[in-house]
Amino acid sequence: MQQGSQRKKRVTITDVARHAGVSTAAVSKVMRNAYGVSAAMQEKVRAAMAELDYRPHAAARGMRGRTYTIGILLDNIRNTFFADILDGVRDELRDSEYTVLIGAAGFDAEVQDKTIRSMVDRQMDGLVLIAPGIQRAEVLSTAQSTPTVVIGHHDSSDLHDSVVDADGSGAGLVVDHLVSLGHRNIALVSSPGTRSSRWARTPEIVLSNGYAEAMGRHHLAEHTQICRTSYSDEGGYKAGMSLLTAGNRPTAIMTGADVAALGVWRAAHELGLRVPEDVSLVGYNNTAIADLATVQLTSVDQAGHNMGATAARLLIERVEGRRDHAVQTTMTPRLVVRGSTSAPSAV
């Protein structure tokens, strides 16, 4: 006696061809968007696919040259800036046949490497790597065989496309703003990065250099102070506790990510300090949380949605053979001033 319903048989390309009254070769051409297929043939085959609820088998499509899947690597699903990037990718690919699959690998380089290799093994057509923490050599090796876009890292290459923010300029905007309010003792909370990864110009390196340069430009080099921590609420909290309990407490703190700024804010609250009366606070990314009525965090807008959309567009150009040379696109940062910054109380 049978128990429950039997598993529904998967519809094949042969079923589609029979239903449409055409050859399997014709169906294959329609699926590949091959040159020379008439509009009438396109309509007949796609109508049959819709009526049969046909979904192409990814592995089989890969054997024919394309799976119509894009892999995205990110290290921290709690960083809301990544949501802005993913929204941009999704919107750019909305009307295409491509499906986006996300690999949330965490900060561990070995896990990131394993995730990327899994994406390649599954014959994904292209990869978007958001600030990868793995060895640069591994990324270059992957990009030789799989179209790849790197978001965040400023190291250019002939092998992959890049989408970056002018992080040095962004840091300068923050320092200029805080100095204009009267601050001199300005600290930076930045990610520690991974020296062994051999990336020379990661976002945190460029941001730190921009901060130091801006402090020097305002003759405040002796007040330069960088606290390294992970871009997370907990990382920001630890950095905030360290900076705000120091003997020479900064009157303003800039962080390399909004999520870390919220951690600093939590530390300030526990220490009985008010934002911005006792310490001004600036984030980076201008995520949706920065504009919440109860937060109102001054932040640098990196145009995350635009970064994601640009990365998706560049990747599809390479996947579909419309461009054979690498490009690097740079977003222009913009400072959005809100209620978390004001003149220092001592001034």
Side-chain angles (χ1 to χ4, degrees), residues 52-331:
L52 295 177
D53 192 24
Y54 172 69
R55 292 184 298 111
H57 194 283
R61 297 182 88 177
M63 291 173 65
R64 292 193 297 272
R66 196 174 299 171
T67 62
Y68 292 93
T69 54
I70 300 299
I72 299 185
L73 177 84
L74 50 84
D75 59 26
N76 181 10
I77 60 174
R78 300 184 189 281
N79 189 334
T80 51
F81 178 58
F82 292 161
D84 294 339
I85 293 177
L86 293 173
D87 280 346
V89 173
R90 179 203 60 195
D91 290 346
E92 180 68 22
L93 300 179
R94 186 187 301 278
D95 297 325
S96 75
E97 293 187 76
Y98 293 93
T99 297
V100 174
L101 300 177
I102 299 170
F107 295 104
D108 187 89
E110 288 188 12
V111 178
Q112 288 192 20
D113 185 47
K114 180 181 178 182
T115 302
I116 291 172
R117 282 189 279 109
S118 294
M119 290 176 171
V120 173
D121 290 344
R122 284 163 175 74
Q123 297 180 293
M124 294 188 181
D125 296 323
L127 305 175
V128 176
L129 310 180
I130 304 176
I134 67 170
Q135 289 265 348
R136 183 168 186 245
E138 293 297 328
V139 171
L140 297 180
S141 177
T142 297
Q144 285 184 312
S145 59
T146 304
T148 300
V149 177
V150 175
I151 294 181
H153 295 340
H154 293 249
D155 303 62
S156 59
S157 170
D158 292 335
L159 296 175
H160 64 75
D161 296 322
S162 304
V163 179
V164 303
D165 181 63
D167 296 301
S169 299
L173 291 174
V174 175
V175 173
D176 290 347
H177 168 64
L178 293 172
V179 170
S180 73
L181 293 174
H183 292 277
R184 295 176 57 79
N185 194 350
I186 303 166
L188 169 67
V189 173
S190 179
S191 167
T194 307
R195 291 180 182 272
S196 60
S197 67
R198 305 301 183 199
W199 293 92
R201 305 190 68 226
T202 60
E204 59 270 12
I205 290 174
V206 177
L207 186 75
S208 297
N209 290 345
Y211 157 76
E213 181 181 326
M215 291 290 283
R217 177 161 42 84
H218 287 288
H219 308 290
L220 299 173
E222 70 274 16
H223 295 291
T224 298
Q225 185 177 184
I226 302 177
C227 184
R228 305 288 184 184
T229 188
S230 62
Y231 285 156
S232 64
D233 177 79
E234 185 61 25
Y237 173 79
K238 290 178 179 178
M241 293 299 288
S242 174
L243 290 169
L244 296 174
T245 57
N248 186 25
R249 191 181 79 201
T251 62
I253 298 175
M254 167 192 175
T255 68
D258 288 350
V259 65
L262 296 182
V264 174
W265 203 318
R266 180 159 63 93
H269 177 74
E270 284 192 16
L271 294 171
L273 300 175
R274 300 164 300 165
V275 176
E277 291 85 355
D278 299 312
V279 59
S280 285
L281 188 59
V282 182
Y284 210 93
N285 305 147
N286 194 36
T287 55
I289 200 167
D291 197 32
L292 291 176
T294 54
V295 178
Q296 287 300 292
L297 176 69
T298 296
S299 186
V300 175
D301 192 326
Q302 285 185 274
H305 185 282
N306 194 20
M307 291 181 85
T310 300
R313 176 177 55 78
L314 293 177
L315 188 63
I316 299 308
E317 287 177 359
R318 295 294 286 270
V319 168
E320 298 186 345
R322 289 184 266 138
R323 176 171 49 81
D324 60 3
H325 61 279
V327 299
Q328 183 174 88
T329 301
T330 303
M331 304 290 128

